[in-house]
Amino acid sequence: MDGKKDWKQLWLKYDRKADAGNGKFFEKVALEGFDAADRVVKSALCELTRGAEGMLGVTPKVQEGTPCTLLLKKATGDPEGYALKEENGQITLEGADEKGLLYGTFHLLRLVSMEKSLAGLQVSLRPDNPLRMYNHWDNMDGSIERGYSGESFFFENDDIVINERTKDYARLMASIGINGVVINNVNVKQAATWLITDRFFDKVARLSEIFADYGIKFFLSLNYAATIELGGLGSADPFDAGVIAWWKAKMQECFAKIPNLGGFLVKADSEGRPGPFTYGRTQADGANMLADAVAPYGGIIIWRCFVYNCMQDWRDYKTDRARAGYDNFIGMDGDYRENVILQIKNGPMDFQIREPVSPLLGGLKKTNQMLEVQVAQEYTGHQIDVCYLIPMFKEVLDFHTFCKEGADTVADVISGRTMGNKNAGIAAVINTGNDANWTGNYLAAANLYGFGRLAFQTSLSAEEILDEWIPMSLSSDPQVVETVKGILLPSRETYEKYTSPLGIGWMVTPHDHYGCSVDGYEYDRWGTYHRADHLGIGVDRSDRGTGYAQQYYEPNASAYNNVETCPEELLLFFHHVPYKYLLKSGKTLIQHIYDSHFEGYDEAEGFARAWEGLEGKVDGEIFANVKERFGMQLYNAREWRDQVNSYFHRLSWIPDERGRRIY
Ligand code: GCV
């Protein structure tokens, strides 16, 4: 087996599988109602051949009319939906449209890859979320903001790269149901500002065509101040007639030159990026101006809500960064154009290992919303430490916002079920780069895969996703499946245990965000404080403190407001609590901090040991890659454990009840 080739294709490696009676279904394929010349249909057929040849040794014969063993049929149904049915030795794949056909094809191949028998198969699915997007934070010089797996495969030296990986990428994305991709960083600077000009149109169009073959809409991040930087205007004021006219003409040009363009993502008035606030205008004013410019072409504007004051004084206990998203956006609920979607990070701070769900999600009742999560492991271990994030994403999706009876979970809101809207969905900051294995740590590909699958079918459990990913990516040997599940499923909680406790977050090395630095951000301008002193720790966000808890609907607001009813995993996010406070476990807060840090390290050691047991059972390169990462994770976990424990021991003077070594 060519190991390298194998690992490059991730879960689409299509190596030989047990037939399980499946080979016969791929022998004779017929199309009904679909045009074989359509680009997406072609991709589906191509994939079918590649998968059947690789996994089953069968080369499908695509023929006209029946009898056939696999009928690919156009049928009515919800957009992007499909149904699969096996009857009398024939499988019928009904696609509501070409994308449905493509997704159904990948479904079939997934089952083959998992060595499941297709006999008696019967499923009918449509995606739960209209938009299922990956956001790249790739810069045109080839670097990736918060990238932990090499450089960009879209850009280098301020130019666009198109190669074999571009198509491999599009296939991988389509196979998990991704239907939109933003290729460049939301911090749009220098050359990236020029992506919407003749300098790059040709290559951008070629790139977008590759995505079109796989039913993926192409998006770009925009520089809000392009009117100044490209247009030579003196302003980016959304009410300025010259600015409005410039964008109208620019959008006409963009949509004419980039055939598969879906719209734009905008980070404005955030972390130094320009925006409408400069001109005394609201976020809605800025978003609507752009939305009007893209509306004639069916385009959408995805506007990020990550707007906060990053020049805070740490002495100021009243200003609360957690409040900012809600405070900046709630007042304009309902003021946005129909083709604007607000993209909201899952938590009110910034992708910490544990945060409450942002109160803006569902807080907004008349505005299109998209959830933004981070698959790139910025604060969750840099794809060195293993941290399977799907359980966290599921918690967010299942959260009851209490915005509307019967349809109040975040999943309801972002799927469009709450408001009956179609411009809604979910996006993730992606964890890929040009490393041979795409994601740095091979196990981090479980997050890459899992996000797409969850976005398509929110009801899938974190474990079900692994039951797919492990056999497709590593091996279907039960020992491998069980061991890897045993590592991945608890890994988020393990990471949480040895890092910052009970929702307080941060305590990371500033800027880099890997490794422990308890006070790294404590006296800085970013609004990210733990407020620890010799008596206790935590930020008072109750009505006696910053009042953040009041941004939720009841009963969440009261639950968070009260230290007794606040979920303990978020205790320090909402309250300043004495070290001697008794938790429900009967332990004091300080003892919990000590215990969880010792436990977290021990669990990480257990993962590393378990992986050792897979030597010879998984591909050698993959084995070595993950083993090397575990070595680094253990170093990191030990530093975290000992620095956090020592810090709080020195501050509180309270000894560990179990007398373990604290420095
Ligand atoms: C793209 C955090 C990250 C930044 C990122 C920002 C954002 O602050 O550290 O690198 O910038 O979030 O989401 O815009």
Side-chain angles (χ1 to χ4, degrees):
M1 176 172 57
D2 173 355
K4 280 244 169 0
K5 181 163 170 276
D6 202 24
W7 115 329
K8 266 198 222 154
Q9 300 300 329
L10 294 174
W11 53 86
L12 297 183
K13 59 186 173 140
Y14 296 152
D15 53 348
R16 189 55 60 90
K17 296 285 177 176
D19 185 279
N22 291 334
K24 60 179 184 290
F25 294 116
F26 293 86
E27 285 165 7
K28 290 183 198 148
V29 180
L31 277 180
E32 189 182 311
F34 282 116
D35 175 1
D38 177 273
R39 63 199 309 166
V40 178
V41 174
K42 270 197 199 152
S43 296
L45 290 173
C46 203
E47 206 60 39
L48 205 62
T49 304
R50 193 166 167 171
E53 282 180 349
M55 293 191 285
L56 301 166
V58 174
T59 301
K61 237 174 74 203
V62 183
Q63 53 174 48
E64 295 213 349
T66 45
C68 62
T69 53
L70 175 57
L71 177 64
L72 309 176
K73 183 176 167 188
K74 188 150 191 178
T76 49
D78 293 319
E80 305 185 309
Y82 62 88
L84 284 161
K85 191 173 180 177
E86 189 279 327
E87 224 172 14
N88 306 323
Q90 183 189 290
I91 293 178
T92 305
L93 161 50
E94 291 186 346
D97 50 25
E98 288 70 18
K99 284 206 235 174
L101 172 69
L102 184 62
Y103 297 149
T105 302
F106 277 117
H107 189 131
L108 214 48
L109 294 173
R110 182 162 60 240
L111 294 175
V112 173
S113 186
M114 293 165 71
E115 300 182 344
K116 297 258 189 232
S117 161
L118 300 176
L121 176 65
Q122 197 162 0
V123 285
S124 172
L125 280 171
R126 65 178 188 96
D128 285 323
N129 295 293
L131 274 165
R132 307 173 300 280
M133 298 183 72
Y134 261 126
N135 294 179
H136 285 259
W137 285 358
D138 293 24
N139 299 315
M140 289 203 68
D141 63 3
S143 63
I144 301 177
E145 183 152 353
R146 311 310 175 186
Y148 311 108
S149 41
E151 301 267 290
S152 172
F153 49 80
F154 289 135
F155 306 115
E156 67 185 11
N157 300 325
D158 286 346
D159 205 351
I160 292 173
V161 178
I162 298 174
N163 58 27
E164 210 189 316
R165 185 165 270 229
T166 321
K167 186 172 165 193
D168 287 344
Y169 169 81
R171 288 176 57 231
L172 286 166
M173 294 297 103
S175 76
I176 51 173
I178 293 295
N179 66 357
V181 166
V182 185
I183 61 160
N184 65 311
N185 189 359
V186 286
N187 290 323
V188 187
K189 295 177 193 163
Q190 289 116 19
T193 303
W194 294 79
L195 281 168
I196 52 169
T197 69
D198 274 332
R199 191 192 289 181
F200 294 115
F201 274 145
D202 284 351
K203 284 189 180 164
V204 167
R206 273 174 56 206
L207 203 53
S208 91
E209 296 273 13
I210 295 171
F211 292 167
D213 288 343
Y214 288 89
I216 300 167
K217 277 279 177 198
F218 181 85
F219 290 77
L220 290 169
S221 295
L222 267 194
N223 181 343
Y224 184 80
T227 46
I228 302 171
E229 291 178 39
L230 298 179
L233 305 184
S235 168
D237 181 351
F239 286 3
D240 180 297
V243 169
I244 296 170
W246 189 88
W247 276 117
K248 285 210 157 129
K250 179 49 76 184
M251 290 308 176
Q252 185 182 30
E253 199 188 355
C254 286
F255 281 89
K257 298 260 167 89
I258 313 170
N260 179 35
L261 184 61
F264 296 92
L265 174 65
V266 187
K267 171 176 179 176
D269 289 311
S270 170
E271 300 184 330
R273 303 313 302 143
F277 281 169
T278 310
Y279 307 94
R281 312 297 183 197
T282 65
Q283 297 296 296
D285 296 335
N288 289 343
M289 182 270 293
L290 290 173
D292 289 342
V294 300
Y297 320 100
I300 56 172
I301 295 295
I302 304 173
W303 190 269
R304 295 178 85 229
C305 295
F306 188 57
V307 178
Y308 71 99
N309 172 12
C310 65
M311 300 298 283
Q312 205 183 309
D313 183 347
W314 57 269
R315 298 164 191 86
D316 170 8
Y317 272 62
K318 276 292 164 199
T319 307
D320 181 2
R321 170 166 164 180
R323 292 189 58 111
Y326 189 94
D327 286 344
N328 281 313
F329 285 90
I330 200 75
M332 292 160 288
D333 191 13
D335 291 349
Y336 296 86
R337 299 283 189 270
E338 195 273 327
N339 60 335
V340 172
I341 308 180
L342 295 189
Q343 185 162 299
I344 305 165
K345 287 192 182 186
N346 61 277
M349 297 295 276
D350 195 11
F351 300 136
Q352 301 303 293
I353 190 68
R354 177 82 65 175
E355 284 187 51
V357 169
S358 166
L360 253 191
L361 287 160
L364 294 162
K365 287 186 170 173
K366 294 177 278 185
T367 300
N368 297 324
Q369 293 159 67
M370 247 173 111
L371 171 65
E372 179 180 315
V373 295
Q374 196 182 39
V375 166
Q377 290 176 236
E378 177 178 358
Y379 296 96
T380 53
H382 281 204
Q383 288 141 239
I384 295 170
D385 299 26
V386 66
C387 190
Y388 180 51
L389 293 163
I390 305 306
M392 182 206 284
F393 300 161
K394 284 200 70 72
E395 265 169 34
V396 173
L397 290 164
D398 289 346
F399 178 75
H400 286 280
T401 68
F402 295 97
C403 65
K404 182 181 179 186
E405 215 181 320
D408 73 336
T409 63
V410 170
D412 289 327
V413 172
I414 61 146
S415 61
R417 286 192 293 274
T418 308
M419 284 168 40
N421 52 330
K422 68 171 177 40
N423 281 334
I426 180 164
V429 181
I430 200 163
N431 62 351
T432 52
N434 67 3
D435 274 3
N437 72 356
W438 297 83
T439 57
N441 187 334
Y442 190 79
L443 294 185
N447 288 327
L448 180 66
Y449 177 85
F451 168 76
R453 294 290 293 125
L454 194 62
F456 196 93
Q457 203 181 333
T458 307
S459 59
L460 284 172
S461 72
E463 185 171 358
E464 282 169 326
I465 289 172
L466 290 182
D467 281 328
E468 298 176 359
W469 180 77
I470 300 170
M472 292 172 82
S473 308
L474 284 162
S475 162
S476 36
D477 174 340
Q479 188 196 337
V480 175
V481 175
E482 285 319 304
T483 305
V484 176
K485 272 163 66 171
I487 292 171
L488 289 176
L489 283 173
S491 60
R492 181 262 185 136
E493 266 154 32
T494 298
Y495 186 83
E496 179 182 32
K497 283 181 186 173
Y498 63 74
T499 57
S500 59
L502 301 180
I504 193 73
W506 309 98
M507 300 189 177
V508 284
T509 308
H511 314 300
D512 178 57
H513 299 169
Y514 186 77
C516 181
S517 176
V518 178
D519 280 339
Y521 274 121
E522 195 56 15
Y523 304 103
D524 216 326
R525 62 181 171 91
W526 297 93
T528 50
Y529 314 117
H530 55 66
R531 307 287 192 208
D533 57 24
H534 70 294
L535 294 174
I537 172 179
V539 181
D540 186 355
R541 294 190 161 104
S542 74
D543 52 4
R544 295 165 305 281
T546 71
Y548 165 79
Q550 307 307 305
Q551 292 184 337
Y552 293 87
Y553 295 120
E554 290 294 358
N556 289 337
S558 296
Y560 290 142
N561 198 54
N562 181 341
V563 70
E564 295 298 323
T565 53
C566 181
E568 275 186 347
E569 67 276 10
L570 289 169
L571 192 64
L572 304 180
F573 189 93
F574 284 99
H575 298 279
H576 187 86
V577 180
Y579 296 121
K580 292 189 173 162
Y581 179 83
L582 221 49
L583 298 175
K584 298 198 173 62
S585 61
K587 286 182 192 178
T588 59
L589 169 61
I590 190 75
Q591 193 57 41
H592 170 86
I593 293 177
Y594 296 149
D595 286 354
S596 60
H597 282 77
F598 283 114
E599 258 170 52
Y601 178 81
D602 292 349
E603 286 173 15
E605 248 189 342
F607 296 161
R609 251 196 324 273
W611 182 258
E612 289 284 344
L614 297 185
E615 185 159 19
K617 302 238 160 204
V618 297
D619 174 280
E621 280 178 83
I622 294 173
F623 178 79
N625 161 261
V626 175
K627 182 181 156 123
E628 183 217 9
R629 302 276 154 155
F630 272 130
M632 292 153 83
Q633 175 169 4
L634 287 186
Y635 177 84
N636 186 43
R638 182 164 173 261
E639 285 304 312
W640 270 97
R641 178 194 72 187
D642 291 340
Q643 289 191 34
V644 170
N645 282 349
S646 302
Y647 181 96
F648 288 104
H649 181 249
R650 291 175 187 183
L651 209 58
S652 69
W653 287 24
I654 303 174
D656 170 32
E657 278 170 6
R658 294 171 57 188
R660 288 162 293 194
R661 183 82 200 267
I662 292 177
Y663 299 83

